[in-house]
Amino acid sequence: MYALRRGTGPAAPAAPTDTTAPAAGPRLLAVSDLHVGMRENRAITESLHPTHEGDWLLVAGDVAETTADIGWALGLLADRFARVVWAPGNHELWTPRDDTVDLRGEERYRHLVELCRGLGVLTPEDPWPVWTGPGGPVAVAPLFLLYDYSWRVPGVTTKEESLARAHETGVVCTDEFLLHPDPYPGRDAWCRARVAATLRRLEAHDPAVPLVLVNHYPLVRDPTDVLWHPEFAQWCGTELTADWHRRFRTEVMVYGHLHIPRTTRYDGVRFEEVSIGYPREWRKRGHPLGLLRQILPHPRPADGQAPPPGTAAGDGTPGAPA
């Protein structure tokens, strides 16, 4: 199961369609956790459209569980947006029984990369594209990093103790049963390999061009402080990336996974959680930040005005979405 999450906010009517007004110029937009295997979320995905012919869309993982659904959703979006960039979530990496593709671990990931390339969707294995529209130039870097259980339950010192605590409380991520790390001995080993490979690319990147980092998980642990169940944090990232937003010139960090859509800042860097989430979640809170989040140009409302649709102002404080 997945842990229940804080931050659903007061009851609000569902907003199943995107009603964002047309934009004066192209925008860099983002979304995650579409979960199109759920009927209501499939309808939401069908409603997503650009508001300018030059709009790009960043998809920060958890599109779906089966390869057919993943291909359907990314293909639909690739046909509509000028460019689609995908970073995998944990759900895409599951090997569910009802999928016609039974590949596991690294082989499954590589299969999805080739699926995306056939659709014209960029992946973490491709050269990083440069957004030259309003707010640019920035290099868009989709990442695939996973987690290594280093965000442990408070009070324990080892991965084994942290996992045991999670099993005792019944807060266990489905990854433990469906996300296979083959050929690595564990998901933590796969994570360390991905971190090392990604770090080499980041170190080779020209620091004169700022980065928009796109990963399914946040690079820092702070966003998980608002989880109802702290046990779930161990499936949300790694300490190995804690300084990346400072070490590398980062304009924005885009992530999902937590199903707590909001805008926060850490060390002065803007972090955008852009998830749609499950119907049981968005039925309660609606979509107060919009279905697609504007990443660039950075929306800066005039004094005394509310942020435009799809944006929020926050400081990392626990509670309802900022």
Side-chain angles (χ1 to χ4, degrees), residues 223-290:
T224 69
D225 290 344
V226 298
L227 295 176
W228 279 119
H229 298 286
E231 298 88 352
F232 190 74
Q234 61 197 301
W235 290 284
C236 296
T238 170
E239 290 181 352
L240 296 173
T241 62
D243 67 344
W244 283 15
H245 65 295
R246 301 190 308 270
R247 182 175 173 184
F248 304 105
R249 187 181 173 192
T250 302
E251 181 72 18
V252 189
M253 197 275 135
V254 177
Y255 69 101
H257 189 56
L258 303 185
H259 295 196
I260 307 174
R262 58 178 179 154
T263 302
T264 53
R265 286 185 178 271
Y266 304 104
D267 303 302
V269 176
R270 179 162 54 107
F271 278 59
E272 296 281 4
E273 208 279 15
V274 298
S275 61
I276 298 295
Y278 300 132
R280 68 171 183 265
E281 296 164 330
W282 57 255
R283 283 196 203 103
K284 295 179 180 179
R285 56 170 161 77
H287 303 284
L289 307 186

Side-chain angles (χ1 to χ4, degrees), residues 132-154:
T132 57
V138 296
V140 176
L143 311 179
F144 169 37
L145 301 174
L146 282 169
Y147 49 83
D148 62 359
Y149 304 95
S150 56
W151 294 355
R152 298 175 185 133
V153 176

Side-chain angles (χ1 to χ4, degrees), residues 157-233:
T157 58
T158 69
K159 164 190 169 182
E160 291 73 21
E161 290 175 325
S162 191
L163 282 171
R165 185 75 60 83
H167 280 275
E168 288 169 4
T169 59
V171 180
V172 179
C173 184
T174 307
D175 290 6
E176 294 298 307
F177 312 101
L178 294 181
L179 201 166
H180 306 287
D182 312 30
Y184 297 90
R187 284 170 287 275
D188 47 349
W190 195 4
C191 171
R192 288 189 290 269
R194 292 299 312 183
V195 167
T198 305
L199 188 57
R200 289 192 292 270
R201 290 189 70 179
L202 287 169
E203 290 173 338
H205 177 71
D206 182 357
V209 182
L211 291 158
V212 172
L213 299 176
V214 186
N215 190 49
H216 186 56
Y217 310 97
L219 296 181
V220 297
R221 182 168 182 168
D222 306 66
T224 69
D225 290 344
V226 298
L227 295 176
W228 279 119
H229 298 286
E231 298 88 352
F232 190 74

